[in-house]
Amino acid sequence: MHRILIISCCILAGLQQVAAQTTYKIDHFSDQYYAKVFIKDTAEVFSPGWVAVYNLQDKELLKVESEELALELHDGKVVANIRELPYGEQSVVQYLDVNFDGIKDLAIEDGQNSCYHGPSFQIYLGHKGGFTHSPTFTRLAQEYCGLFEVNEAEKRLYTMTKSGCCWHQLSSFEVVNNTPEEREVVEEDFSGGRYPFGTLTRRHWDGKKMQTTVTEIVSIDEVAIRFAFTVEKNDKLLTLFLQDNTLYYALQDKEERVELSYPESAGTADFTYNVKDNTLQFKNKGATYTIYEQGNQCGVRILTGGKTYDWAGRADSRKGRLKRIAEELPDNVKLVR
């Protein structure tokens, strides 16, 4: 009796194991090919398995093994060509023209090797004889976040990758001689310890080589803004804002690049607020800056080299109130009455 129970349990365990293994057919993405995806354990989010592509004569053209496949079913079926970049659903089979030669190619998921354990792909370029694996296109689907974006109108490929909250990289590639070549890379880096100030590094192709420019940028939370206006004569944006109860000054140009930021680090009394005049003053590199607000007028006076320059602000661009700084009194503001 005990032997029968043991054998029965073994049979049930075997049936459950078989039931967890499923092969799905993926069709309707091409009039020449179909695909199959095998999942070893459907109870797991990530499961070993494989993806294979066949012609209509049922000949296997290529097969990609994986230790971690992830599927999302649509009415019980696996659907190709879903691309919700960079973090949404990405089908295990993508049929699209990545090298802009008019012949569609294949991107086959091989696991979760891209950024933050995201989906990664092997790229096979299509031609009259079938498909050929491409290491250079595959690299773009491994080293960034998910599959790259294909822009047919611009004939460009776009990638994105990041590290935590404070570093992001966007890149664009042009296909030259069937190889993706970098044309522009834009990096935003706020990891230098001066958040919300950071650096914007842009590398772009000038026709002969990549040129690099580095500028300072600032990420300003609307809640943190205490006083801001646009300078009438040059459209520069002047902003005073709080971060961890420290007051900061930022002057940005039309492209939102920071031309001047102050202070470089939290200090004791970097700013002086004059209660009677409703002005805020600081000194930096031999120049004295006085931000003012009187009635409908606002602006900044800059004293340098014995001359004073008055940059008046547009009244309709004003945001917040200068007096609010005195009411809250940040750690690095000294009051003068």
Side-chain angles (χ1 to χ4, degrees), residues 132-133 226 326:
T132 300
H133 182 260
R226 294 299 174 258

Side-chain angles (χ1 to χ4, degrees), residues 201-267:
T201 302
R202 178 174 177 260
R203 302 192 298 273
H204 68 281
W205 180 254
D206 67 358
K208 295 182 179 179
K209 61 181 181 179
M210 297 290 282
Q211 300 284 356
T212 301
T213 57
V214 181
T215 55
E216 187 177 28
I217 55 176
V218 60
S219 176
I220 301 175
D221 189 330
E222 285 291 331
V223 178
I225 293 176
R226 294 299 174 258
F227 189 58
F229 59 84
T230 301
V231 179
E232 189 169 11
K233 66 182 296 182
N234 52 30
D235 289 330
K236 298 181 188 294
L237 176 63
L238 186 151
T239 307
L240 293 167
F241 62 93
L242 281 181
Q243 177 72 16
D244 297 329
N245 208 41
T246 296
L247 184 67
Y248 288 93
Y249 168 100
L251 183 69
Q252 297 170 271
D253 63 15
K254 295 179 182 179
E255 283 72 42
E256 300 184 350
R257 296 172 298 194
V258 176
E259 292 188 351
L260 175 64
S261 64
Y262 183 86
E264 293 185 358
S265 60

